[in-house]
Amino acid sequence: MMLLLLGFALVEALSAPIPRFEERAALKEDVRNMFHHAYDNYMKYAFPHDELKPLSLSYTDSLEELGNLKLERLSETYSGSALTLVESLSSLAVMKNSSEFEKGVLWLAENLSFDVDVRVNVFECNIRLLGGLISAHFLAKDSRKQLMSNGYNDQLLMLAEDLGLRLLPAFDTPTGIPYAWINLKTGVHPNETTETSTSGCGSLVLEMGALSRLTGNPQFENLALRALRKLWSMRSELNLLGTNLDINTGRWTEYSSGIGAGIDSFYEYLDAYRAVQQHYRYGSWYHDADMRTGKATYWQFTSLQAFWPGLQVLIGDIAAANATHREFLRLWEMFGIFPERYLLDAGKVHPTERYYPLRPELAESTFFLYQATKDPWYLDVGKKIMNSINVFSRVPGGFASVRDVMTMKLEDHHHSFFLSETCKYLYLLFDDSFLDGENHVFSTEGHLFPVNQSWQQQPRPKILSRLRLFSRQKPIDTSALTSKTCPRLSRGSVESACHIPDTRADHRCVSRSDCGVDATTCAKRSCSFAGYCS
């Protein structure tokens, strides 16, 4: 009976008409209410620990558990790093809650220390804590935002630099690819695992690069770029990468990959779009494939894939973004929320990965598509996402993850990214005034980094030792941002004169002869393993 009532509630929520422009203000306030329902309960029941347990009104010091599926080497003394507060600061700024933002900054400046005996995942610590601190530093420093009434003395930057320095020993490996784990007090354990993921070692450059530019210490950017370039050099002849690798040998341990878990964040920071479209795409869906052959390995959707339409918007492939987004939305509506993994070939939810941990990716892609098209249909999608989360996850103590989308049984956990990403993207969908007149980059964790023109024109940091890249091209003295030219076009490519359309309007193909010539690059399009031109 409870499921039946929930079903009726969801149908009513999802069948609402497309919101008119004047309704956006009300929808924005609904998202603000969601955010503060979660944030206020965290501050009441969990702060200064890492994350809220909304069912038991308790807390978890989860930083050491992120990515640690076997819960190995847990600390007996770690008592949290106020993770959710750090993750929430940029969202508080977006929602123009200056008093709570300032209160949070001042508390962190006085109380947060990373001199703690705790083993953390380098990737998770980088995107959540380091990225959150740097983003909040940018915001606190911006006098136009008027977030700090009593001034600001770079306290968050000092915390970020201390954390960054504690992560650097992870990069001391034969390949330059960092360990996945490090103890913030004692460094890398002598028997630490040498396996890491593509996301884990290839998604560090934005936060580390910003830290170098802010502090003047080139180590952070140098090491992150060295790892990224080594990783990129390991790609196959198809320009594909695997999911897992060994940091000592530089060899892949898992050749199968896609655009989901283990590699998703890498694609947000480095463009390998054409290879993905050619070898992973099947219609508007994406399967996993062997990096060596392009042959499909797993026909599945994972919820992290939902970031992909947003990335397609940034690349400029709006039509493909819209098509994939609509397929993903159809799956969301089928269950009311996303299952973590859906088997495309079997047409059913994965037998064990049936949960929904309040992930932001569909809201993120919806935001980017609305920004690109201004189509009010995407406002309706945002309303559906918001209503679904309220129907299935909202409890008196905050928002709980869904353990099983088939039963809607809840789990006593509230991830910090719900506040840093899910609520932020929904809020900006309905009110993007915070971004007016400014250019920002969103990190993979949804933190805002301003596009700094002076950084665009600085010479690139020296790349370490044997991994230095050489170029025969004459150096460009001014940035593309300054000259207002597209870097790709400024190197002489033809924009559209060479365009030859595919033989079929639906882009299906049997061989490469069925495919035309790309309008931007003038390269002959290929016929993918799935039978589509790309």
Side-chain angles (χ1 to χ4, degrees), residues 268-280:
E268 291 183 288
Y269 287 180
L270 193 71
D271 181 10
Y273 185 65
R274 179 177 297 181
V276 169
Q277 292 296 93
Q278 182 174 349
H279 299 290
Y280 295 153

Side-chain angles (χ1 to χ4, degrees), residues 63 81-91 93 101 104-115 124-142 147-148 152-167 184 206-208 210-211 214-215 420 424 443 445-450 455:
L63 180 63
S81 300
L83 174 64
T84 297
L85 173 61
V86 174
E87 289 255 72
S88 299
L89 289 177
S90 59
S91 294
F101 177 91
V105 169
L106 295 177
W107 187 93
L108 292 171
E110 291 292 327
N111 298 281
L112 185 58
S113 170
F114 294 117
D115 188 26
E124 295 287 357
C125 202
N126 176 76
I127 65 171
R128 297 194 192 212
L129 274 179
L130 186 62
L133 289 169
I134 293 173
S135 176
H137 165 73
F138 279 125
L139 294 165
K141 198 81 172 172
D142 189 344
L147 293 169
M148 301 294 293
Y152 173 69
N153 297 311
D154 295 345
Q155 300 100 312
L156 298 184
L157 179 59
M158 289 186 280
L159 284 169
E161 184 176 24
D162 177 55
L163 176 58
L165 290 170
R166 293 174 186 276
L167 297 179
L184 292 181
L206 177 61
E207 294 82 359
M208 289 288 190
L211 187 57
L214 288 167
T215 62
S420 70
K424 180 187 283 116
S443 76
E445 191 72 4
H447 296 304
L448 290 93
F449 286 63
W455 291 1

